[in-house]
């Protein structure tokens, strides 16, 4: 870490910041670090630095003794995993976790910027926290995650949300002890958001939220720059963790008894492209992880762009590599895909699906779809509907396009009324439900392998877990099977879950289905 970075913890005087001016830096000396869109856009100019020397500085030890932290997480699995890292740092500082804001000494909102409604939820929550802060000014409130990486968000917080004590970015998580320390020392807002291409820090502490399933980062950032997407600006450039670090982490998780891992990256298919000393890609990593004694390995999220034949070949070997692939398509229209900057066409996506299906006949495919991209015509939307049917996805996350600050699509003029977009979403969702129900129906009468996660959220008499294809299964069984793989005979399919009868715990060498 260089000296410039070390110095960059900013203290922002909120009285001054409340003024209308856009460039707040004039009020502060050298230590104010707001996000910069211009810098976030840069690629390939900065070297990726690897660090494995993270440690809690002596002066911060015990800082959290007698204090509690609360983190609310919004957004994707990457954010959930970042929360586990921050929880690890808090724990190393002596803080204890709490599940309510009322007895927390520090409250962090780990935010998502993917769509406007994700941001609005956070601003709403900040509003709710204001009375708490007024009652107890000693509480520290922080905003971190993807929203903090955006200039417009940070300016809004500076202007309107003086209950916030600290704002820090996705590249600043390892600086948490220093940031909290600054926030305790000054009564002014601490702002530290680096708009850099990104580092890799290997030895950050983690406090995982479960002991059955675990997230494992394999890469960070994104270089695809889809025209609608904020992620390349909030998460830096594509950079891969070294295979030996990943393999060691997975081995360690297996030894601790974890049953399933999900490899995480904004775009996992680009794994390894950035190694200049090593020819090692996602297929190689999956081949190595196949040999580790952990029952299930998944990955998310895939981009069709870099989905190569070698990967398909290794996935087809099965074993602990599950037969479920989440493959976001976004649109079924080649012309929309082109202006989205997705670098594939309807035809090439279908070709890829054909190849995957040929190699893995019982694969479950799920996807993400955006409707109402600027100027999407009725015909183009219909192409999304027909593509959905042609592939026969088993599930999809569907969204109305939401313009994001600084992205190319934000500047596109859009003449499609919101009403039309909502109708399209409704029609698509009906189709999604229909196909989901159909996919579920096929399991009736079958025996499936379920990783039991715990009591059902709705009924504590019932246990629930997921199949290899990520289907939720509810069944009655002794609580002692929680955390184990079991076989369940499906008795009834609903649209989003399956009911079944517990048969038995799966023996280690039993063939997985
Ligand atoms: N508007 C709507 N949906 C979006 N997504 C990403 N950016 C936007 C946006 N600006 C969706 C994509 C992506 C998923 C995580 O969120 O479908 O795959
Ligand atoms: Fe949201 Fe994307 Fe950030 Fe995840 S990476 S938290 S989805 S903006």
């Amino acid at each position: 870490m260089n000296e410039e970075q070390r110095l960059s913890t900013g203290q922002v005087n909120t009285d001054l910041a409340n003024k209308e001016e856009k460039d707040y830096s004039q009020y502060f000396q050298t230590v104010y670090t707001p996000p910069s869109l211009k810098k976030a856009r840069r690629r390939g100019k900065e070297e990726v630095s690897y660090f494995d020397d993270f440690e809690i500085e002596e002066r911060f030890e015990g800082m959290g003794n007698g204090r509690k932290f609360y983190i609310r997480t919004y957004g994707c699995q990457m954010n959930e995993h970042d929360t586990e890292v921050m929880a690890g740092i808090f724990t190393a500082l002596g803080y204890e976790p709490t599940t309510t804001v009322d007895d927390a000494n520090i409250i962090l909102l780990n935010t998502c910027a993917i769509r406007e409604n994700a941001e609005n939820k956070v601003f709403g929550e900040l509003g709710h926290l204001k009375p708490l802060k007024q009652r107890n000014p000693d509480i520290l409130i922080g905003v971190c995650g993807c929203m903090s990486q955006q200039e417009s968000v940070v300016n809004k917080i500076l202007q309107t949300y003086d209950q916030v004590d600290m704002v820090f970015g996705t590249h600043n998580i390892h600086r948490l002890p220093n940031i909290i320390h600054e926030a305790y020392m000054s009564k002014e807002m601490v702002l530290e958001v680096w708009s850099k291409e990104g580092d890799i820090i290997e030895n950050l502490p983690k406090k995982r939220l479960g002991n059955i399933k675990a997230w494992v980062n394999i890469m960070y950032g994104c270089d695809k720059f889809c025209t609608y997407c904020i992620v390349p600006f909030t998460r830096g450039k594509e950079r891969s963790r070294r295979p030996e670090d990943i393999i060691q982490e997975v081995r360690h998780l297996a030894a601790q008894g974890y049953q399933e891992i999900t490899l995480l990256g904004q775009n996992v298919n680009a794994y390894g492209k950035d190694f200049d000393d090593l020819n090692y890609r996602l297929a190689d990593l999956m081949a190595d992880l196949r040999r580790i004694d952990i029952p299930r390995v998944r990955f998310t999220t895939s981009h069709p762009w870099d989905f190569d034949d070698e990967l398909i070949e290794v996935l087809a070997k099965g074993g602990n590599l599950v037969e479920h692939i989440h493959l976001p398509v976004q649109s079924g229209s080649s012309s929309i895909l082109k202006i989205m900057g997705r670098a594939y066409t309807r035809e090439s996506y279908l070709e890829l699906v054909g190849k995957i299906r040929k190699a893995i006949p019982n694969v479950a495919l799920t996807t993400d779809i955006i409707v109402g991209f600027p100027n999407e015509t009725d015909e183009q939307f219909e192409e999304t509907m027909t593509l959905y049917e042609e592939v026969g996805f088993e599930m999809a996350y569907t969204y109305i396009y939401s313009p994001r600050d600084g992205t190319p699509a934000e500047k596109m003029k859009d003449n499609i009324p919101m009403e039309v977009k909502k109708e399209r979403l409704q029609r698509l969702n009906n189709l999604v439900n229909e196909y989901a129900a159909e996919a579920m129906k096929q399991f009736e009468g079958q025996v499936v392998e379920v990783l039991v996660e715990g009591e059902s959220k709705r009924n504590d008499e019932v246990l629930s877990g997921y199949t290899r294809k990520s289907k939720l299964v509810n069944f009655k069984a002794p609580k002692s099977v929680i955390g184990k793989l079991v076989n369940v005979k499906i008795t009834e399919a609903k649209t989003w879950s399956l009911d079944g009868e517990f048969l038995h715990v799966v023996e280690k060498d039993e063939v997985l289905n």
Side-chain angles (χ1 to χ4, degrees):
M1 205 173 304
N2 64 35
E3 200 47 31
E4 182 194 311
Q5 289 171 352
R6 282 192 194 287
L7 275 174
S8 61
T9 296
Q11 294 168 11
V12 174
N13 180 321
T14 44
D15 289 335
L16 294 172
N18 277 337
K19 292 191 179 150
E20 278 305 310
E21 284 86 347
K22 280 265 183 286
D23 180 12
Y24 301 101
S25 57
Q26 58 186 296
Y27 298 119
F28 315 102
Q29 282 105 40
T30 52
V31 288
Y32 167 74
T33 315
S36 149
L37 189 62
K38 212 166 121 211
K39 277 198 191 164
R41 223 178 242 137
R42 276 199 322 218
R43 282 299 181 269
K45 305 227 164 50
E46 287 169 27
E47 281 289 309
V48 173
S49 303
Y50 285 78
F51 297 98
D52 60 3
D53 57 352
F54 175 86
E55 54 182 39
I56 301 288
E57 287 175 44
E58 223 177 292
R59 63 189 174 123
F60 299 144
E61 276 171 16
M63 181 159 83
N65 289 352
R67 291 174 164 149
K68 291 185 178 170
F69 73 93
Y70 172 92
I71 310 177
R72 175 162 289 181
T73 314
Y74 301 80
C76 65
Q77 294 95 333
M78 191 64 84
N79 252 24
E80 287 186 32
H81 191 44
D82 283 350
T83 290
E84 294 183 328
V85 172
M86 291 191 286
I89 298 176
F90 274 121
T91 306
L93 290 169
Y95 288 86
E96 276 181 44
T98 171
T99 50
T100 90
V101 291
D102 296 316
D103 64 353
N105 303 93
I106 294 199
I107 300 167
L108 286 187
L109 304 187
N110 188 9
T111 63
C112 171
I114 200 97
R115 283 169 292 275
E116 196 185 355
N117 57 4
E119 292 194 358
N120 288 343
K121 276 191 217 156
V122 171
F123 287 124
E125 184 61 24
L126 285 176
H128 292 144
L129 291 174
K130 187 161 184 152
L132 194 71
K133 176 77 183 176
Q134 281 165 338
R135 276 200 308 276
N136 185 355
D138 289 339
I139 292 178
L140 290 184
I141 298 179
V143 177
C144 56
C146 288
M147 276 171 73
S148 324
Q149 292 292 142
Q150 294 187 88
E151 282 176 57
S152 55
V153 168
V154 168
N155 289 343
K156 186 167 169 181
I157 292 175
L158 289 171
Q159 284 176 17
T160 339
Y161 295 90
D162 61 1
Q163 61 271 45
V164 174
D165 301 282
M166 39 190 184
V167 177
F168 59 96
T170 57
H171 301 296
N172 304 74
I173 287 175
H174 64 290
R175 298 261 312 150
L176 189 56
N178 308 63
I179 292 165
I180 306 169
H181 176 73
E182 291 288 341
Y184 281 133
M185 299 304 285
S186 74
K187 285 290 163 214
E188 295 161 343
M189 198 187 295
V190 172
L191 176 66
E192 184 178 292
V193 183
W194 297 340
S195 297
K196 59 198 320 270
E197 295 182 42
D199 300 323
I200 292 184
I201 305 178
E202 272 305 331
N203 67 330
L204 291 171
K206 296 182 187 97
K207 191 165 188 301
R208 297 187 188 267
L209 290 177
N211 52 12
I212 302 170
K213 301 201 294 190
W215 313 113
V216 174
N217 275 128
I218 63 166
M219 60 182 305
Y220 305 93
C222 182
D223 284 347
K224 294 292 180 276
F225 288 98
C226 301
T227 56
Y228 50 81
C229 190
I230 193 77
V231 175
F233 306 100
T234 63
R235 292 272 175 184
K237 78 169 165 195
E238 284 174 358
R239 52 210 192 275
S240 306
R241 286 180 71 197
R242 304 293 297 184
E244 56 276 18
D245 291 329
I246 299 169
I247 290 167
Q248 191 193 36
E249 185 174 345
V250 175
R251 282 221 177 95
H252 193 63
L253 289 165
Q256 288 176 285
Y258 281 88
Q259 300 290 304
E260 178 174 313
I261 56 151
T262 303
L263 307 177
L264 291 183
Q266 305 302 343
N267 170 21
V268 288
N269 303 79
Y271 177 75
K273 275 176 100 175
D274 53 318
F275 293 145
D276 39 25
D277 60 335
L278 198 63
N279 185 10
Y280 189 95
R281 300 292 306 275
L282 186 60
D284 302 299
L285 181 65
M286 297 309 272
D288 281 340
L289 296 180
R290 245 189 114 237
R291 287 194 279 269
I292 296 181
D293 189 13
I294 193 156
R296 291 180 179 181
V297 179
R298 307 179 180 279
F299 56 87
T300 196
T301 272
S302 272
H303 192 307
W305 192 337
D306 293 313
F307 209 111
D308 53 42
D309 292 350
E310 291 73 23
L311 179 62
I312 298 176
E313 203 179 302
V314 63
L315 293 180
K317 291 185 183 157
N320 62 0
L321 310 183
V322 301
E323 47 283 346
H324 172 200
I325 300 174
H326 188 68
L327 192 61
V329 65
Q330 313 299 359
S331 167
S333 151
S334 294
S335 30
I336 290 287
L337 287 168
K338 188 156 187 214
I339 43 175
M340 282 178 165
R342 293 289 289 177
Y344 56 85
T345 59
R346 175 190 178 97
E347 291 71 32
S348 63
Y349 184 92
L350 285 171
E351 202 180 304
L352 175 60
V353 165
K355 267 200 254 177
I356 295 173
R357 280 250 156 80
K358 189 155 177 249
I360 317 166
N362 68 339
V363 71
L365 292 172
T366 56
T367 199
D368 291 348
I369 293 176
I370 298 176
V371 303
F373 193 73
N375 305 311
E376 180 192 58
T377 63
D378 282 338
E379 290 73 26
Q380 288 166 334
F381 171 68
E382 293 309 325
E383 288 186 78
T384 297
M385 297 287 280
T386 56
L387 178 101
Y388 200 93
E389 290 171 320
E390 211 163 312
V391 176
F393 291 110
E394 298 199 1
M395 193 276 292
Y397 297 108
T398 57
Y399 311 99
I400 291 182
Y401 164 72
S402 167
R404 305 286 62 215
D405 248 12
T407 57
E410 185 212 5
K411 291 172 195 72
M412 296 175 192
K413 269 218 151 58
D414 184 8
N415 58 20
I416 310 296
M418 187 47 90
E419 274 318 298
V420 173
K421 297 187 185 209
K422 284 187 179 161
E423 273 168 35
R424 286 180 189 166
L425 183 70
Q426 191 54 53
R427 277 192 54 209
L428 177 60
N429 284 346
N430 292 344
L431 189 69
V432 169
N433 289 355
E434 201 182 296
Y435 272 76
E438 216 169 276
M440 290 301 215
K441 200 89 195 146
Q442 289 169 12
F443 289 103
E444 279 184 358
Q446 282 193 26
V447 175
V448 293
E449 180 206 87
V450 178
L451 174 57
V452 191
E453 293 188 17
E455 289 165 8
S456 145
K457 282 192 188 116
R458 299 218 181 115
N459 178 354
D460 60 13
E461 299 278 284
V462 169
L463 299 183
S464 66
Y466 287 87
T467 67
R468 287 167 62 91
K469 295 184 183 182
S470 310
K471 310 288 187 221
L472 177 63
V473 182
N474 294 309
F475 57 98
K476 285 195 173 153
K479 302 252 187 309
S480 57
V481 303
I482 293 174
K484 297 193 170 143
L485 289 165
V486 301
N487 276 351
V488 174
K489 181 161 189 188
I490 301 305
T491 48
E492 192 187 344
K494 313 233 170 92
T495 306
W496 299 115
S497 65
L498 301 165
D499 288 345
E501 278 164 14
F502 168 67
L503 297 178
H504 58 84
V505 173
V506 175
E507 295 306 323
K508 216 168 173 57
D509 295 328
E510 211 168 319
V511 178
L512 304 174
N513 54 17

